[in-house]
Amino acid sequence: MEKRATMHEVAELAGVSQATVSLVLNGVPNARVSKATRRRVQEAAEQLGYRRGKTHPVPAGRTRVVGLFIDEVSTTPFAAPFIEGARDEAALQDVTIATFCTGNDPALEQAGLDMLVAQNAIGAIYCTLITRQVTVPEAFSQLPLVLLNCYERKVQHPSVVPGDIVGGFTATDALLRAGHRRIAHLAGEHIVEAAIDREQGFRQAMEKWGVAVDESLVTLGGWTIRAGRERALALLSQPNPPTAIFCFNDRMAIGCYEVARSLGLSVPGDLSIVGFDDEDIAANMDPPLSTMVLPHDEMARWAVGQLLDGFDGIDADERLQKLKIECELVERDSIAPPKG
């Protein structure tokens, strides 16, 4: 699947905020946005090919609305890319996204579904903010459905998730290509599937390069800045510390930066670090953090397109798939060859 430009990328190229890009590209009249800024945003969007994609059919007789059901909005920072990606893809077909943040409350889910069914809406997207296996509530059988960032044990609906195994492999491979062999992994909690998958990718990359994993350098059970700080301190206090660390997420990487500085180590001169998730802070760290981008915007776009394509006579067996979209490595300044 060809990677599509995101609103964030347009904002970076134009040198403006994401909110400004949204105002300009969605044609919102706003006196605060100058003509020069509007032109810069439009030129950046044109250069990146933003909002140019496949045209999907819109079923006749349906209200041009898709319901996006999200389980939480506060547990992770990733709700916005899902909402924006779905909204932007739907807008290509003049379809509106109605977002329902339900907290997995069956009553709230049913209320949202009742409204969509009464409107004869196109369908629904069932989204979780943490990648996981789900059992789709029976109530969702009332409408065509696509799963976003989650999947069923037995596939009954099209679903899309990030390729976390490949992501973990790519992150570790970047460190191995730089010459590192003593590489630590700050893993997440194994109750989170992404943590298991990213560690698996780490191990696969080490195996491919013929480098034995030192189990004393694989530390489990964290995702916060504090966890990164605690685990990095333990690792870097060893007699033979790692020269590089692959972190489960960017927050743990922040903790690694703090510990490195406290020990008088430079990043990446003395210690190379790779994160995961590409949170906003990653590009603004000192030095900017190399990290993996979660393709949430692209996943949400795919979910909308898949939902619309279901009305176009595509064979049901072709649509019933669990798609994994690869995470992209953003190489910044936190990787360098090991000393000596």
Side-chain angles (χ1 to χ4, degrees), residues 220-259:
L220 299 176
W223 61 275
T224 63
I225 294 174
R226 178 177 178 178
R229 190 185 301 125
E230 292 172 348
R231 285 156 179 75
L233 180 59
L235 288 169
L236 296 174
S237 298
Q238 291 185 13
N240 185 18
T243 63
I245 302 177
F246 163 42
C247 300
F248 166 68
N249 65 9
D250 294 341
R251 298 184 186 194
M252 296 181 84
I254 294 172
C256 291
Y257 270 51
E258 292 178 1
V259 169

Side-chain angles (χ1 to χ4, degrees), residues 258-302:
E258 292 178 1
V259 169
R261 285 199 181 88
S262 71
L263 296 177
L265 303 175
S266 71
V267 177
D270 299 304
L271 180 69
S272 290
I273 299 174
V274 178
F276 212 111
D277 296 345
D278 196 30
E279 293 196 46
D280 289 344
I281 194 172
N284 297 303
M285 292 168 65
D286 184 19
L289 176 68
S290 297
T291 185
M292 303 300 300
V293 178
L294 282 169
H296 286 172
D297 179 281
E298 191 174 356
M299 288 163 58
R301 289 171 182 258
W302 180 90

Side-chain angles (χ1 to χ4, degrees), residues 53-91:
K54 174 183 175 184
T55 298
H56 301 278
V58 177
R62 295 266 180 168
T63 304
R64 302 173 85 90
V65 174
V66 167
L68 174 62
F69 290 78
I70 302 180
D71 56 351
E72 297 287 349
V73 293
S74 59
T75 53
T76 75
F78 306 126
F82 286 133
I83 296 170
E84 290 171 357
R87 180 198 65 196
D88 291 347
E89 187 68 26

Side-chain angles (χ1 to χ4, degrees), residues 312-329:
D312 199 29
I314 295 176
D315 185 84
D317 290 338
E318 291 184 27
R319 295 185 69 248
L320 286 183
Q321 60 174 307
K322 177 186 174 184
L323 178 68
K324 290 188 176 183
I325 296 182
E326 289 189 13
C327 307
E328 180 183 0
L329 173 67

Side-chain angles (χ1 to χ4, degrees), residues 91-211:
L92 290 169
Q93 275 67 241
D94 297 321
V95 170
T96 298
I97 296 293
T99 304
F100 304 90
C101 300
T102 65
N104 286 321
D105 185 326
L108 293 178
E109 290 175 345
Q110 188 63 61
L113 284 166
D114 288 346
M115 187 183 81
L116 294 171
V117 170
Q119 293 181 349
N120 196 25
I122 292 169
I125 296 171
Y126 188 83
C127 175
T128 62
L129 292 193
I130 295 176
T131 308
R132 60 186 175 91
Q133 180 179 308
V134 297
T135 300
V136 178
E138 180 62 29
F140 282 90
S141 63
Q142 299 172 85
L143 288 170
L145 183 69
V146 174
L147 308 186
L148 175 56
N149 204 40
C150 56
Y151 63 94
E152 302 158 295
R153 184 180 62 82
K154 181 180 179 181
V155 178
Q156 300 181 73
H157 304 91
S159 64
V160 59
V161 296
D164 279 306
I165 295 177
V166 176
F169 180 98
T170 301
T172 308
D173 185 70
L175 295 171
L176 289 160
R177 282 189 289 106
H180 294 277
R181 298 296 180 265
R182 190 157 176 77
I183 302 174
H185 177 45
L186 299 194
E189 299 173 338
H190 273 184
I191 58 172
V192 177
E193 290 187 23
I196 298 172
D197 287 351
R198 293 173 193 178
E199 181 182 335
Q200 183 178 337
F202 162 77
R203 292 181 180 276
Q204 287 179 356
M206 297 287 277
E207 182 180 0
K208 180 186 175 183
W209 281 76
V211 179

